[in-house]
């Protein structure tokens, strides 16, 4: 009977990718027969889909030229004895020391083992195998060659990995130091090309947040090679196929490697997404892919750094704008304040003029009232028809009128002095003044008041003490100090007015035996409208302005006002101290 036929279907084999080039080996030997035999033995040899390219050199000198030109040689099958007994060993030194080829595998083959003892060669020279030509059969040659190619392949991968890691390490500071998103993107494409050690074309795009990938969902940051013109363009400017690949990469959110190109995906901590398209001139090895994955894993921090820097720059611009606006507002406010200050100066000047006019207008009728009251008192005293009781009553009324008028004149003088004290543009009419003479005049003018209260007013004055100052202002300050001492001292008390120099500086001191100063009084002594705990002892009036006027006049002359007391009930001393440089200045200055 007919046998059933079983037809086996071949397994589906994926299409092979483009093959890498053949393994390159160099055969260095001065015997042509060795070259022929080796080529014959290795005919048809293949490893990992790659055949052999055998290069021949018949002397060490020829081999030097060959190795200097071809740096892709994986294995050197090397004879020891050629031009000299150690020509091969010298070539080993040349390969390792001068060419610095550490990955190339060197297999020594010698027909005279005694010429180069195996142990010494293995120890002294960086070779990978040592074979006698007599024992190197086709099978052993196959085995040695395969083992050497495997070692070479692994060393190349290690070397590529090391080189790639060095590039990544060197690139990290540069990428992290970028301040512009476009410059960073360009740097990434440059570093990928350097990492692959290949000619690359690339494009890098950015998508903000988790928006749907679409024609308007991303922006082109940079491009290189044939994509160089795409940098800064809109997504619509890209080729439709490229745009489709980008959108697919955003949707997949992972790296994709293929023979025709690769897409890299990066998601930053701030939610941005970056896709890079890389077209290399060769397929990417597993090492290339691992290194690119490692590089992109570090890019998240770099992109976030640039994003934060750009946000900081925008914040700085906003802050600078706000500072500029605020400065402009302050300038306008200062101008308004300057105008208001000018208005206040004019108002203060007007106030002073008005007060001067009012005081002048009030003091004139008051002077008339005082004069007429004195005349009435004289007439009453001479009136024969009025009896003593009537004369006494009329005299009392006239005295009250005169006292009220006198008190009103004193209040007007104090208010005028305070108004002048407040004037913003007050100036002194400086001239040569005899401070001792002024004090003497003030004491004589106030002596009747002191005698009326039974007080002793004494002076300690030099013949003269010249000072550059305003005579009227100084007279006013001295009068306030002396009149205050009389006003607040008990009847029968003693008052001393002294003018002297202390360390070359002029000083005016008025000492009384009045109520003294409490701590509360000392704290507010020279303030305006401050009424102290002590009261005038003769019923005199007080506006609370006298000492503040003294302080202002002393300061206008560059000095200061002071007060000292040993406590309540123990009297007080009031001083005006003037600067030493004011002594003896005689020129009139305004």
């Amino acid at each position: 009977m007919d046998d059933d036929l079983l037809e086996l279907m071949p397994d589906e084999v994926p299409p092979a990718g483009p093959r890498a080039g053949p393994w390159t080996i160099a055969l260095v030997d001065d015997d042509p027969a060795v070259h022929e035999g080796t080529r014959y033995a290795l005919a048809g040899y293949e490893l990992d889909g790659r055949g052999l390219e055998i290069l021949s050199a018949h002397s060490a000198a020829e081999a030097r030229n060959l190795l200097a030109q071809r740096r892709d040689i994986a294995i050197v099958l090397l004879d020891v004895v050629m031009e000299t007994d150690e020509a091969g060993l010298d070539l080993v030194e040349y390969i390792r020391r001068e060419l610095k080829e550490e990955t190339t595998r060197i297999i020594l083959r010698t027909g005279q083992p005694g010429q180069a003892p195996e142990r010494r060669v293995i120890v002294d020279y960086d070779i990978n195998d040592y074979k006698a030509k007599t024992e190197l059969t086709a099978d052993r040659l196959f085995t040695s060659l395969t083992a050497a190619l495997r070692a070479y392949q692994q060393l190349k991968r290690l070397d590529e990995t090391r080189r790639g890691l060095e590039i990544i390490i060197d690139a990290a500071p540069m990428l992290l130091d970028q301040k512009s998103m476009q410059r960073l993107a360009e740097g990434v494409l440059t570093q990928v090309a350097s990492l692959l050690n290949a000619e690359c074309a690339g494009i890098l795009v950015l998508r903000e947040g988790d928006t749907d990938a679409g024609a308007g969902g991303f922006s082109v940051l940079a491009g290189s090679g044939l994509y160089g013109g795409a940098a800064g363009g809109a997504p619509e400017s890209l080729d439709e196929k490229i745009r489709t690949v980008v959108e697919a990469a955003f949707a997949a959110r992972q790296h994709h490697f293929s023979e025709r190109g690769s897409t890299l995906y990066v998601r930053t901590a701030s939610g941005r997404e970056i896709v890079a398209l890389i077209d290399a001139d060769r397929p990417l090895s597993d090492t290339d892919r691992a290194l690119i994955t490692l590089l992109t894993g570090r890019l998240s921090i770099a992109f976030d750094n640039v994003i934060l820097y750009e946000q900081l720059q925008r914040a700085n611009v906003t802050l600078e704008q706000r500072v500029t606006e605020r400065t402009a507002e302050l300038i306008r406010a200062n101008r308004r304040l300057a105008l208001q200050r000018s208005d206040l100066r004019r108002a203060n000047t007007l106030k002073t003029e008005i007060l001067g006019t009012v005081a002048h207008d009030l003091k004139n009728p008051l002077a008339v009232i005082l004069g007429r009251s004195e005349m009435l008192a004289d007439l009453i005293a001479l009136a024969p028809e009025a009896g003593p009781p009537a004369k006494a009553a009329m005299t009392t009324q006239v005295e009250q009128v005169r006292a009220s008028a006198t008190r009103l004149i004193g209040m007007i003088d104090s208010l005028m002095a305070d108004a002048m004290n407040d004037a913003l543009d007050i100036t002194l009419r400086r001239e040569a003044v005899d401070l001792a003479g002024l004090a003497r005049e003030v004491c004589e003018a106030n002596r009747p008041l002191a005698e009326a209260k039974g007080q002793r007013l004494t002076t300690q004055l030099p013949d003269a003490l010249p000072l550059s100052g305003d005579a009227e202002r100084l007279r006013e300050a001295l009068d306030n100090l002396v009149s205050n001492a009389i006003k607040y001292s008990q009847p029968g008390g003693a008052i001393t007015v002294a003018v002297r120099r202390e360390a070359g500086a002029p000083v005016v001191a008025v000492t009384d035996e009045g109520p003294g100063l409490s701590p509360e009084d000392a704290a507010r002594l020279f303030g305006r409208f401050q009424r102290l705990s002590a009261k005038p002892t003769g019923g005199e009036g007080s506006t609370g302005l006298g000492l503040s006027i003294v302080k202002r006049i002393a300061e206008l002359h560059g000095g200061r006002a002071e007060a000292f007391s040993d406590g309540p009930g123990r009297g007080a001393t009031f001083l005006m101290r003037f600067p030493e440089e004011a002594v003896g200045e005689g020129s009139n200055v305004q």
Side-chain angles (χ1 to χ4, degrees):
M1 67 180 177
D2 295 333
D3 292 334
D4 293 333
L5 295 177
L6 180 62
E7 183 177 2
L8 297 177
M9 300 296 294
D11 293 334
E12 186 175 339
V13 178
R19 291 174 176 266
W23 303 103
T24 303
I25 68 173
L27 179 56
V28 183
D29 200 302
D30 58 355
D31 187 352
V34 172
H35 288 266
E36 294 178 4
T38 302
R39 289 179 181 276
Y40 178 79
L42 295 178
Y45 179 91
E46 187 174 295
L47 179 64
D48 294 338
R50 301 168 62 182
L52 292 179
E53 178 185 4
I54 301 176
L55 305 176
S56 293
H58 296 83
S59 66
E62 186 179 346
R64 285 173 181 254
N65 295 331
L66 174 64
L67 291 167
Q69 296 172 5
R70 295 290 298 266
R71 304 305 293 269
D72 60 339
I73 295 175
I75 299 174
V76 177
L77 295 174
L78 177 60
D79 188 13
V80 175
V81 180
M82 290 180 287
E83 302 99 310
T84 65
D85 290 345
E86 294 192 353
L89 297 179
D90 292 339
L91 184 60
V92 171
E93 290 292 292
Y94 172 77
I95 295 172
R96 298 303 192 206
R97 296 183 184 278
E98 296 188 31
L99 297 183
K100 298 187 183 303
E101 284 289 355
E102 298 178 354
T103 56
T104 300
R105 304 294 84 194
I106 301 177
I107 301 176
L108 282 185
R109 299 195 305 174
T110 179
Q112 301 171 336
Q115 294 293 107
E118 183 176 351
R119 290 189 179 184
R120 182 180 69 82
V121 171
I122 292 295
V123 171
D124 295 344
Y125 295 89
D126 183 9
I127 63 172
N128 307 108
D129 204 351
Y130 185 99
K131 300 291 184 183
K133 293 180 180 179
T134 56
E135 66 174 342
L136 197 59
T137 63
D139 289 338
R140 289 188 178 182
L141 179 60
F142 178 90
T143 302
S144 297
L145 190 66
T146 301
L149 286 176
R150 293 291 189 196
Y152 172 79
Q153 188 178 39
Q154 292 172 0
L155 288 174
K156 289 296 288 185
R157 287 177 180 173
L158 289 174
D159 186 60
E160 290 173 359
T161 302
R162 176 189 57 77
R163 187 188 64 84
L165 291 174
E166 289 176 352
I167 291 174
I168 293 173
I169 292 171
D170 292 340
M174 182 276 293
L175 295 177
L176 291 174
D177 195 45
Q178 292 297 329
K179 301 297 187 295
S180 162
M181 186 67 76
Q182 182 177 354
R183 293 292 300 275
L184 174 60
E186 293 171 353
V188 170
L189 294 179
T190 300
Q191 293 303 323
V192 168
S194 177
L195 187 63
L196 298 178
N197 196 21
E199 293 292 331
C200 291
I203 185 172
L204 193 144
V205 298
L206 168 70
R207 185 170 72 170
E208 297 282 347
D210 293 326
T211 57
D212 293 333
F218 57 86
S219 57
V220 182
L221 296 180
S224 64
L226 59 91
Y227 304 117
E236 294 82 355
S237 64
L238 295 177
D239 181 80
E240 183 177 355
K241 292 182 179 179
I242 297 175
R243 193 163 63 246
T244 301
V245 173
V246 171
E247 293 169 357
F250 278 126
R253 294 185 174 179
Q254 62 183 5
H255 300 326
H256 176 71
F257 299 99
S258 67
E259 296 169 0
R260 300 183 61 84
S262 303
T263 56
L264 312 177
Y265 174 83
V266 178
R267 181 180 178 85
T268 73
S270 60
R272 275 79 172 180
E273 295 177 291
I274 297 99
V275 165
L277 270 64
I278 305 297
D279 288 343
D281 60 357
R282 61 174 177 80
L284 302 187
S285 66
D286 292 339
T287 302
D288 294 333
R289 298 179 183 185
L291 290 172
I292 287 180
T293 302
L294 180 61
L295 175 64
T296 54
R298 301 295 182 269
L299 293 180
S300 172
I301 298 175
F303 278 102
D304 273 338
N305 282 349
V306 172
I307 291 168
L308 291 174
Y309 178 80
E310 291 180 346
Q311 291 175 348
L312 180 61
Q313 289 295 97
R314 289 192 293 269
N316 284 339
V317 171
T318 302
L319 181 60
E320 290 175 359
Q321 291 174 347
R322 293 179 61 184
V323 169
T324 301
E325 294 171 357
R326 183 58 178 164
T327 302
E329 291 177 3
L330 290 175
I331 292 174
R332 290 192 293 269
N334 285 335
R335 289 174 179 170
R336 290 195 298 270
L337 289 174
L339 292 175
Q340 292 173 0
R341 183 173 181 271
S342 178
D343 292 342
L344 288 175
R345 290 172 64 92
R346 288 194 295 270
N348 192 68
T349 301
L350 181 61
K351 178 197 74 171
T352 303
E353 293 175 354
I354 292 174
L355 284 176
T357 301
V358 171
H360 181 270
D361 293 343
L362 286 176
K363 290 178 75 173
N364 284 340
L366 285 173
V368 173
I369 292 172
L370 283 174
R372 295 296 184 269
S373 64
E374 291 177 358
M375 292 175 61
L376 284 173
D378 293 340
L379 291 174
I380 291 170
L382 296 174
E385 66 277 4
K391 286 184 178 182
M394 287 188 289
T395 299
T396 300
Q397 295 297 323
V398 170
E399 287 297 327
Q400 289 179 355
V401 170
R402 184 164 58 185
S404 296
T406 301
R407 187 164 56 252
L408 184 56
I409 289 174
M411 293 174 63
I412 290 173
D413 289 339
S414 295
L415 290 174
M416 273 299 299
D418 185 58
M420 294 301 291
N421 196 29
D422 275 347
L424 297 176
D425 56 352
I426 189 170
T427 57
L428 298 179
R429 299 186 63 85
R430 291 186 180 273
E431 57 186 352
V433 177
D434 180 7
L435 188 60
L438 277 180
R440 190 176 292 109
E441 292 175 9
V442 170
C443 288
E444 292 304 317
N446 283 278
R447 193 174 297 279
L449 297 177
E451 292 176 348
K453 296 180 71 172
Q455 296 169 339
R456 300 183 305 278
L457 178 59
T458 60
T459 59
Q460 298 175 359
L461 307 174
D463 293 339
L465 200 162
L467 184 74
S468 176
D470 189 317
E472 292 304 318
R473 291 288 183 180
L474 291 171
R475 188 190 308 275
E476 181 181 2
L478 286 167
D479 186 70
N480 280 337
L481 289 178
V482 174
S483 62
N484 268 4
I486 296 171
K487 188 183 300 183
Y488 289 97
S489 293
Q490 294 294 333
I495 299 168
T496 303
V497 178
V499 174
R500 58 181 179 267
R501 291 189 181 186
E502 293 183 359
V507 176
V508 176
V510 178
T511 304
D512 61 45
E513 295 179 352
L517 300 173
S518 66
E520 293 78 10
D521 290 338
R524 53 194 177 94
L525 188 61
F526 293 101
R528 295 173 57 195
F529 301 105
Q530 295 294 326
R531 297 183 183 274
L532 306 182
S533 57
K535 304 298 180 184
T537 58
E540 299 93 339
S542 174
T543 61
L545 292 169
L547 291 179
S548 69
I549 293 172
V550 170
K551 176 176 179 290
R552 180 66 190 277
I553 291 173
E555 291 174 347
L556 286 172
H557 285 80
R560 64 182 185 275
E562 300 174 352
F564 302 97
S565 175
D566 291 333
R570 305 182 67 178
T573 298
F574 295 85
L575 303 96
M576 285 192 299
R577 297 183 183 274
F578 299 98
E580 183 179 358
E581 55 268 22
V583 177
E585 295 182 3
S587 59
N588 295 337
V589 181
Q590 181 165 350

